[in-house]
Amino acid sequence: MKVLGFRASRVVGILVLCLLVAGALFAYRQHRRRERNKPPPTQRELVQAAIQARPGDPWPRGEGHVLLAEPGSREWDKGYHEPGGSFSPSAGTFGIAIWVSDAQGKLLATSDSIPLDKIEQRFEAVHSSTPALVTETPYYRARWHCEEVGDYTLALEPLGDAQLSIVVRSVGPAGGPVRHLAWAKDALTVSHRWSVAFGEGAQRVKLGEEGPDWTAAGTGKADATATSQTGWAFARVDVQGKLALTVHDLRPTAPGGLTVTYPPEDHLQLPDARFVDSLYAQEQHLLMSLVGDEARPGEPINYPLPWLRDGAFTAVALTRAGQLSIGRRMARYYANHDFFGGFGSEGDAMGFGLWVIDEVTQRAHDPELDRELWPHVYRKAEFIKTLMEATETIRVRPVQGPIVPNLRDDPWMSKDIDLVADKARDGLIIGRMDGHRPILYINAVNYMGLRRAARIAERMGEPGTAQRWRDRASKLRTAWRRGFDTEERNNDRTSISTLWPSFIGLDVKPEFTKLLDERWKAQRDDKGAYKTVREWTYFDAAEMHQYVMLGQPDKTWTTLDYYFAHQQSSPGLYTWSEGTGEENTFGLWNQVRGWLKPKHVTPHYWTASEMLLLQLDMLAYVEESESAPTYVIGAGVQKSWLDEPMHVSGIGTSRGTVDWSWDNGKLSATIHGEQAPVRAGPAFDDVKVEAQFAP
């Protein structure tokens, strides 16, 4: 028995050992399989690893960026600019940084390291072209300009004794791997695709691969090449005096294809330069963001898709700013597409589509365009009737365009991608928006859509149809009024839609004022500043708009002053953001060597549109009551402005364009549009507007 016990234990030991070996072999094979199937590191991960390995090297700022681009150009053909003057000619290409050295060539600062409070930025108007972006620091003045798709210029001027260098490397605002560089005839060829020409400004040139001591200055200038299998090739070009740099894409490029109207310099003569600069900046940001005739919600690598709601504000804002050619194209897009955007089919789609079409057609005065779009207007307005009378859930498939990945991949969220509205209740549309049911907001937008459709029907010579749609709008407004007396009024979206842009709540101004005041007290300190960082900046802009239409521009200005003082990460360029990270991302920045740890999405173009529309309405707007529309001149003017003469021209409204001037206590206006009563904003007290209507 002892022998048998010994043999049995020996057998067990061998079996255990075999199991351990088999388990280890299985684990090893599983590990090898996972390694083989493991995706390669992203460009973002590669840069983050390099930063950890070389923490003392210069790295991109990544705090904020704006586009420099031809309007209508493709997403990947747009340049990116960061504060300080760092630049990438398109996403996934390379970075251009400005370095500052002492007389011995030792690095003192870079365009990515100069503190934001030492940097001044501004747009500079260029005749019949996109604006230039001017940066001033203690060391240099830089002026970047997009000449056309794939062509950029940099005018660089040193200040004081600054010794400047241009550094081309893989990282930047929107860089990518750089595996080959070649220097010849005072020009650098990057990745066999881009030419960076220095003219006679280059003094010393150094090419190589980033690594130990790579930041040191070069010793001379001679033809040279550099390669890097890992994409870390660089060129440092020391320059002397003023530099005129050109960046040119050697491959064929697709033009933007949009006809842009650039406003005259005397378009606005107002006492507050911030107001004028902001209004100009919003229009230019929106123009440069366009991809063909599609608007993007935010910067287009994060948001590579059109989104109906955000784009509607962009279309109306640009139309009112005088970009009628672009407005025509966008109106056709909205006519032919009923539902699109990253959240699928939503309940405010038809209302916004009709808003865009009416804004464009009333300004175009083009019967042929009216006839072209009329069948789409009819379809959209009648669909609102379907929503108002829904006895079951309304779904629309297929959803047009891409869906936000994290929503598309979520089983609970994706089941409602095609859901427009639930069964109607209490005379109200129970529509879906942003993943929930903001009932008063949904009905305000569709009320606006029906009212705008009725206006189009009148122009089409269809008075019976126009009256039918107005009657439905009035019915919706009555139900909305009942709903306003419930808890539904406390939804955030009620405060962004009651007056602007729908005018559904004109008869609840006292109650609405109380609601806004309650929100004000909850969100602000005793000086009117926000207590928290603003995540949804477009909502704040819309609330500012409500106060203009309530006749309380002082509160609008309290918020506007706050926003002008808190331009977040691109000071001087009047940009604002969305969220606290990469909201609704498609993950495309992972494949770029730049924008490594986004704090938010910036610029955000719904915010830019809301700000542009707000500022235009502060100068002139039409109060769209059901009984009698009224032009309001200077609704957002401050009393302090009245000490100086003012003149504005070409201010777009929902009924026509307005020119007005103020001088020696006289307020006069010329209105190119429908005749209606005219009144002055509250700052003018009892001044009567001397108005004339022109054809």
Side-chain angles (χ1 to χ4, degrees):
M1 293 296 295
K2 288 182 180 181
V3 173
L4 288 176
F6 172 75
R7 289 178 176 174
S9 63
R10 186 177 181 183
V11 170
V12 170
I14 292 172
L15 289 174
V16 169
L17 180 60
C18 289
L19 288 173
L20 289 173
V21 171
L25 182 60
F26 177 78
Y28 174 73
R29 287 175 175 172
Q30 289 291 93
H31 172 72
R32 288 292 302 273
R33 187 177 292 111
R34 284 194 299 268
E35 287 298 309
R36 286 195 300 270
N37 296 331
K38 184 180 179 181
T42 66
Q43 296 299 322
R44 176 178 282 178
E45 290 169 339
L46 289 172
V47 176
Q48 290 169 339
I51 292 173
Q52 288 186 339
R54 298 185 274 135
D57 283 359
W59 296 104
R61 185 183 299 274
E63 287 289 322
H65 54 194
V66 298
L67 299 181
L68 275 182
E70 182 176 315
S73 55
R74 298 173 299 191
E75 289 101 329
W76 296 89
D77 286 339
K78 297 180 184 292
Y80 280 80
H81 182 285
E82 291 191 353
S86 296
F87 183 72
S88 292
S90 69
T93 55
F94 58 94
I96 298 176
I98 304 167
W99 285 11
V100 183
S101 305
D102 62 16
Q104 287 72 45
K106 181 181 178 182
L107 186 60
L108 300 177
T110 77
S111 49
D112 295 304
S113 68
I114 299 170
L116 288 177
D117 61 2
K118 302 295 184 183
I119 296 172
E120 293 183 4
Q121 299 182 110
R122 68 179 185 276
F123 279 132
E124 179 181 272
V126 177
H127 179 67
S128 298
S129 178
T130 58
L133 201 167
V134 178
T135 300
E136 294 195 22
T137 76
Y139 308 104
Y140 56 82
R141 181 182 296 109
R143 180 186 184 273
W144 278 104
H145 182 235
C146 174
E147 305 289 337
E148 57 185 28
V149 176
D151 283 291
Y152 304 91
T153 60
L154 167 65
L156 182 64
E157 178 184 356
L159 300 177
D161 298 327
Q163 305 293 310
L164 302 181
S165 304
I166 296 295
V167 177
V168 174
R169 56 192 297 217
S170 70
V171 294
V178 175
R179 296 187 172 89
H180 185 270
L181 292 169
W183 174 267
K185 298 180 181 179
D186 292 320
L188 188 69
T189 302
V190 184
S191 301
H192 303 288
R193 172 184 163 182
W194 293 88
S195 169
V196 182
F198 290 76
E200 298 179 355
Q203 299 298 306
R204 291 185 300 273
V205 178
K206 179 182 178 181
L207 274 63
E209 185 174 34
E210 294 186 24
D213 300 322
W214 73 278
T215 61
T219 57
K221 185 173 67 170
D223 292 357
T225 61
T227 60
S228 171
Q229 293 299 316
T230 55
W232 288 100
F234 80 92
R236 172 174 172 166
V237 181
D238 299 337
V239 299
Q240 187 70 35
K242 295 182 180 180
L243 173 69
L245 183 80
T246 62
V247 180
H248 173 65
D249 192 345
L250 299 173
R251 68 171 190 177
T253 55
L258 297 181
T259 301
V260 179
T261 301
Y262 290 99
E265 292 185 6
D266 61 352
H267 170 54
L268 299 175
Q269 297 177 15
L270 298 169
D272 192 330
R274 302 172 307 161
F275 189 91
V276 176
D277 290 346
S278 172
L279 194 151
Y280 177 76
Q282 304 318 311
E283 182 178 357
Q284 301 310 312
H285 287 308
L286 293 176
L287 288 170
M288 291 189 287
S289 76
L290 296 176
V291 178
D293 51 11
E294 297 177 356
R296 297 295 186 253
E299 69 83 8
I301 300 302
N302 189 89
Y303 276 111
L305 77 166
W307 203 306
L308 191 149
R309 179 168 42 255
D310 307 58
F313 283 90
T314 296
V316 173
L318 288 175
T319 299
R320 291 197 184 181
Q323 304 295 343
L324 183 56
S325 175
I326 293 173
R328 282 173 173 268
R329 292 185 55 159
M330 298 185 78
R332 288 188 172 97
Y333 190 93
Y334 272 80
N336 287 284
H337 297 79
D338 290 338
F339 299 97
F340 58 93
F343 291 166
S345 305
E346 296 185 277
D348 54 352
M350 295 303 183
F352 277 131
L354 291 165
W355 184 41
V356 170
I357 295 170
D358 178 58
E359 286 279 341
V360 173
T361 55
Q362 69 85 22
R363 182 153 182 164
H365 304 294
D366 183 349
E368 185 176 339
L369 181 64
D370 290 343
R371 287 192 294 271
E372 176 189 345
L373 302 186
W374 171 245
H376 304 288
V377 171
Y378 195 93
R379 181 185 70 255
K380 292 175 189 289
E382 288 299 307
F383 191 86
I384 294 177
K385 173 179 179 287
T386 300
L387 299 179
M388 292 174 64
E389 299 175 354
T391 58
E392 60 184 7
T393 297
I394 304 294
R395 294 178 179 269
V396 174
R397 281 190 180 273
V399 176
Q400 297 167 316
I403 300 299
V404 170
N406 66 355
L407 180 63
R408 181 187 61 215
D409 299 336
D410 185 319
W412 185 81
M413 296 289 286
S414 62
K415 67 182 177 63
D416 284 340
I417 287 296
D418 62 345
L419 176 63
V420 180
D422 297 323
K423 177 181 177 182
R425 186 175 70 241
D426 300 325
L428 293 167
I429 299 168
I430 312 301
R432 182 179 71 92
M433 179 264 187
D434 277 358
H436 72 300
R437 311 295 189 273
I439 295 174
L440 296 182
Y441 164 86
I442 290 290
N443 285 273
V445 173
N446 283 293
Y447 165 84
M448 175 180 69
L450 287 171
R451 295 284 300 173
R452 296 310 186 99
R455 285 177 44 171
I456 299 171
E458 290 285 2
R459 293 198 295 271
M460 290 297 299
E462 298 279 353
T465 301
Q467 188 58 51
R468 184 168 75 250
W469 290 342
R470 281 194 293 266
D471 289 344
R472 289 176 188 163
S474 294
K475 184 178 180 182
L476 206 57
R477 181 168 174 259
T478 298
W480 182 95
R481 180 65 183 87
R482 291 193 300 267
F484 191 79
D485 292 331
T486 70
E487 285 298 312
E488 292 293 340
R489 68 194 284 174
N490 294 320
N491 189 293
D492 287 346
R493 288 149 185 79
T494 303
S495 67
I496 69 170
S497 58
T498 295
L499 295 178
W500 163 258
S502 72
F503 292 98
I504 197 172
L506 285 173
D507 62 345
V508 296
K509 281 187 176 182
E511 298 96 321
F512 185 49
T513 300
K514 181 180 178 182
L515 173 65
L516 288 183
D517 288 346
E518 290 170 353
R519 292 175 58 82
W520 184 284
K521 292 176 183 177
Q523 295 175 359
R524 322 271 187 135
D525 61 23
D526 56 2
K527 294 182 179 179
Y530 287 105
K531 298 176 183 177
T532 59
V533 174
R534 310 314 296 160
E535 293 186 44
W536 320 116
T537 53
Y538 33 84
F539 287 176
D540 292 344
E543 284 199 23
M544 282 191 261
H545 218 141
Q546 313 302 323
Y547 278 114
V548 170
M549 295 177 173
L550 287 169
Q552 298 184 35
D554 288 348
K555 286 197 169 179
T556 299
W557 271 103
T558 296
T559 307
L560 204 55
D561 284 336
Y562 176 90
Y563 266 80
F564 285 170
H566 295 80
Q567 294 179 45
Q568 293 172 307
S569 48
S570 291
L573 302 181
Y574 296 91
T575 63
W576 296 283
S577 65
E578 175 190 47
T580 56
E582 291 179 287
E583 293 290 326
N584 303 317
T585 181
F586 280 68
L588 300 182
W589 278 107
N590 288 327
Q591 300 306 323
V592 176
R593 293 192 178 187
W595 205 236
L596 302 175
K597 295 181 179 179
K599 298 177 181 178
H600 40 233
V601 179
T602 183
H604 202 273
Y605 300 120
W606 184 1
T607 303
S609 301
E610 286 274 19
M611 289 293 262
L612 178 53
L613 287 162
L614 166 66
Q615 291 189 251
L616 290 172
D617 274 6
M618 291 172 76
L619 298 174
Y621 79 93
V622 176
E623 185 176 84
E624 290 286 354
S625 69
E626 289 189 0
S627 54
T630 302
Y631 290 92
V632 186
I633 307 299
V637 166
Q638 299 191 87
K639 278 190 174 294
S640 60
W641 289 12
L642 304 185
D643 295 335
E644 300 181 40
M646 293 179 281
H647 173 76
V648 300
S649 63
I651 304 302
T653 73
S654 58
R655 302 260 170 176
T657 60
V658 177
D659 309 330
W660 63 261
S661 60
W662 167 260
D663 197 10
N664 292 322
K666 179 181 177 181
L667 180 60
S668 57
T670 300
I671 299 171
H672 306 265
E674 301 177 31
Q675 295 198 20
V678 183
R679 73 169 189 265
F684 294 98
D685 294 326
D686 297 325
V687 173
K688 184 178 179 181
V689 184
E690 297 182 11
Q692 60 178 349
F693 288 84

